[in-house]
Amino acid sequence: MAEKKEIIPKKHPMPAQEPVERIRNFNEVALGYDEETAVAEAKRCLQCKKEPCRQGCPVEVDIPAFIKLVAERDFAGAIKKIKEKNALPAVCGRVCPQENQCEKYCTLGKKHEPVGIGRLERFCADWELARGVLPQEVAPPTGFKVAVVGSGPAGLTCAADLAKLGHKVTVFEALHVAGGVLMYGIPEFRLPKRVVQAEIENLKKLGVEIVTNAVVGKFATVDELMEEEGFDAVFIGTGAGLPYFMNIPGENSCGVYSANEFLTRTNLMKAYLFPEWDTPIKVGRKVAVIGGGNVAMDAARTALRLGAEESWIVYRRSEKELPARHEEVEHAKEEGIKFAFLTNPVRILADENGWVKGMECLRYELGEPDESGRRRPVPIPGSEFVMDVDTVVVAIGQAPNPLVPRTTRGLELGRKGNIVADPQTGATSKPGVFAGGDVVTGAATVILAMGAGRIAARSIHDYLLHKRA
Amino acid sequence: MFKILEKQVFSPIIKQMVIEAPRVARKCQPGQFVILRIHEEGERIPLTIADFDREKGTITIVFQEVGKTTKQLGTLEAGDYIKDFVGPLGTPSHIENFGTVICVGGGVGIAPVFPIARALKEAGNHVISIIGARTRDLLFWEDRMREVSSELFVTTDDGSYVRKGFVTDVLKEIIDARGKDNINLVLAIGPQPMMRACCNVTKDYGIKTIVSLNALMVDGTGMCGCCRVTVGGQTRFVCVDGPEFDGHQVDFAELARRSATFRAEEQRALERHTCQCGCGGGK
């Protein structure tokens, strides 16, 4: 008879840098489990028959199997199991919204806290990275060439899967380093860039070639890649790289950044190391970040680390509707980020040199639910007031980057300029061209983009085999 | 890595380089630009393409040393490498047979005017070019501009070469002499105040004027919005919607303010650079 297990109701806490300390540095906030904690957390898993956690994973990781291996201290076996399905485990273990995915369905989670699946995934990936990554098996060459446009989560996943199937994959990246939003968008303190680059090095070991400084749509179009450079298929994963602005007066004042600019200067260009690194950034005393998503939290927390005295999240709905992950909101609060809910700017005020000196806002109240199901924010007439800020970061979302969609013949586009692709296959209206991630869905999560990359890789493989037949 | 094949020093602060960049050279068009980064810790700076050779796979850039990065670039020699070099970026110049076009190049802006003037001439235009600089030492490519122009006028602010006067003085004289109805388009590239001044001249005559804007940029692909500028009351991105715009619609005052955003930091980086590398920058 199996021994009856004593249930530990809560996840083992994630060791983290203390808030007072971390708001003055860019080091990673969450420090990761050690071996003993990981094993103890893995033993919380009930190894239940139904495995409901698996349905919550967009890339289909065999979660109970890898957790069992961790519990048995077979860490090498555990990471191997994860990597059968997930090309970027060190990334996913850090930035996936597990509470809405695998952990949401965990049987243990019905009465207690779910198993810390994300933390265990991160532990396994870090364990392997610290020891040097073993090469993975690659199928014999098929002779097919596939171009992957964009090296963010969707592109990297697609590239890894196709390379493992024996196809020759070339990834084209517009910026000077690969990684897309993992490099320019998500801050160092949430996702260290060495972790991203280590994962990309692993892809190169699969035979994936990465060409940086290559803007598809400019140096060559998708059509030219296929017709002149001999690619048999193309995957487009160019992301949501076009920032929305609010179109309010004063938005072009000095000291107003899009979240993309604010984060790109800081993360990709390492402006926090200026003047050792050449790219500057300027953050004033009081920063207002407009928006309530993960990007907004990242920007607000970044502003503090860049030396702001006060960093505000300004959001037009209430705390309940914040689209950011709960964990990110909690981290932000611990760090002293201030929240102005039910507030939205109507005008940015500038001084005589064109610099931000304040932001005129309106207070809102929640009305009837809108098409998204959330209660619609309604401005309260006469509630104008001026927020005393000198830096504004606009983090209200991004549209798909138009460079590739606009320069590719025969590609059906959606209303917002997104590429229309079959969610089951990633196929676009153009034969041999597949797409996935934010360029199809609009700004979403890393793991959904990875899931789309995986689905497209499978379809591209089928398409190529069919082409040969 | 991108190899510097040739370097020419036009003056202590204006230099020309030919860079091996076959992917850029294969597709670039007049009016487009590149972004380069010299080394790992470097910033990304945009430079308009001055010339290209598709067969040799090369791009020519001409730059004036103003900040740390351009000064550091100036210390590199033929045979050295630039870490990153991406392009062609931006929308190409609109080339057609307009009739008579005046191309104005001020200072280092002479370089990007060159391939556009050449394309306009090849398209059948009567191309009247005006090139000018502060002083004789800062003037370059007179011979090359003469080759691609139907007529060429040269001026220096201090009168050290050919004549004394601003390019705007010459521009006004030509328009007055030929009659405003006989000028179909003006193209002006150079420092922001010069482009603004040219637009002020042509606005009175109602002659459409194209300018090529040099806004601050980071990625150059429309991702960050750093380069946004107000044109005709609307926010546009210089990197993807431009760099060329109808100069009469551009809010130059806003552009100047935004361009100065990091002036203090730029100064700090420059001073630090001058102290350390011994290249004599900052003189």
Side-chain angles (χ1 to χ4, degrees), chain B residues 13 23 65 76 161 220:
Chain B
I13 56 163
R23 278 194 193 278
E65 297 180 4
L76 301 181
Y161 186 59

Side-chain angles (χ1 to χ4, degrees), chain B residues 174-217:
Chain B
I174 295 174
I175 298 171
D176 285 338
R178 313 283 165 103
K180 66 180 169 70
D181 297 331
N182 297 319
I183 309 296
N184 304 95
L185 183 75
V186 171
L187 168 86
I189 307 181
Q192 284 173 18
M194 170 237 143
M195 292 192 281
R196 188 178 189 171
C198 286
C199 291
N200 286 342
V201 168
T202 56
K203 203 166 193 171
D204 293 341
Y205 295 104
I207 305 170
K208 183 169 178 175
T209 301
I210 302 294
V211 293
S212 177
L213 302 183
N214 48 346
L216 293 179
M217 279 185 200

Side-chain angles (χ1 to χ4, degrees), chain A residues 176 213 218-219 224 228 241 243 251-254 256 258 260-261 265 274-275 277-278 282 353 355, chain B residues 23 26-27 40-41 44 68 84 86 88 90 222-224 226 228 230 235 257-258 261-262 265 272:
Chain A
H176 54 265
N213 295 313
K218 289 293 182 185
F219 85 87
E224 285 163 344
E228 294 170 22
E251 205 169 13
N252 291 348
S253 305
C254 300
V256 181
S258 74
N260 271 2
E261 181 186 355
R265 283 184 179 274
F274 180 87
W277 287 57
D278 291 344
K282 210 160 186 159
N353 296 316
W355 278 88
Chain B
R23 278 194 193 278
R26 204 168 66 110
K27 286 295 288 288
E40 183 58 34
E41 292 81 28
R44 296 167 63 96
K68 179 192 168 180
D84 299 294
V86 58
M223 195 184 81
C224 82
C226 173
R228 61 195 190 278
T230 303
T235 294
R257 285 195 298 270
R258 287 190 61 78
T261 301
F262 299 107
E265 287 75 15
R272 199 169 169 275

Side-chain angles (χ1 to χ4, degrees), chain A residues 239-419:
Chain A
L242 188 74
Y244 287 123
F245 284 93
M246 297 175 288
N247 295 316
I248 59 173
E251 205 169 13
N252 291 348
S253 305
C254 300
V256 181
Y257 302 89
S258 74
N260 271 2
E261 181 186 355
F262 195 71
L263 293 171
T264 300
R265 283 184 179 274
T266 312
N267 301 323
L268 180 75
M269 306 311 295
K270 306 225 184 300
Y272 61 94
L273 298 176
F274 180 87
E276 278 77 31
W277 287 57
D278 291 344
T279 305
I281 193 161
K282 210 160 186 159
V283 169
R285 273 181 323 109
K286 294 188 181 178
V287 179
V289 178
I290 320 301
N294 289 323
V295 172
M297 299 302 146
D298 284 346
R301 297 172 68 195
T302 295
L304 269 193
R305 285 160 173 80
L306 289 169
E309 288 166 26
E310 276 181 29
S311 181
W312 286 83
I313 289 280
V314 178
Y315 183 54
R316 63 198 180 116
R317 301 180 199 249
S318 74
E319 177 163 10
K320 218 177 92 205
E321 288 81 22
L322 275 178
R325 286 184 70 191
H326 179 68
E327 186 185 313
E328 301 308 326
V329 177
E330 285 309 306
H331 274 147
K333 284 184 176 169
E334 285 169 18
E335 291 174 8
I337 303 293
K338 299 181 175 183
F339 290 80
F341 293 114
L342 295 164
T343 303
N344 210 31
V346 288
R347 188 157 66 105
I348 292 166
L349 311 168
D351 67 16
E352 64 279 7
N353 296 316
W355 278 88
V356 176
K357 66 167 186 184
M359 186 167 76
E360 188 180 314
C361 300
L362 270 180
R363 302 230 189 255
Y364 279 61
E365 58 192 356
L366 292 180
E368 295 300 310
D370 62 13
E371 62 271 20
S372 74
R374 296 178 298 178
R375 292 177 64 191
R376 186 190 301 274
V378 185
I380 302 171
S383 65
E384 289 88 350
F385 71 103
V386 173
M387 266 185 97
D388 170 27
V389 297
D390 53 12
T391 306
V392 176
V393 180
V394 183
I396 56 170
Q398 299 92 235
N401 194 309
L403 271 182
V404 175
R406 273 192 206 156
T407 55
T408 307
R409 283 197 306 267
L411 207 53
E412 190 192 337
L413 303 181
R415 200 166 48 86
K416 290 180 173 171
N418 55 304
I419 297 177

Side-chain angles (χ1 to χ4, degrees), chain B residues 17 33 191:
Chain B
M17 284 177 177
F33 66 96

Side-chain angles (χ1 to χ4, degrees), chain B residues 24 43 46 50 61 72 95 130 151 171 181 191 199 205 223 228 239 245 261 281-282:
Chain B
V24 186
E43 62 180 337
I61 52 171
Q72 211 164 15
I95 304 291
I130 306 167
E151 301 173 58
L171 176 64
D181 297 331
C199 291
Y205 295 104
M223 195 184 81
R228 61 195 190 278
C239 67
F245 293 101
T261 301

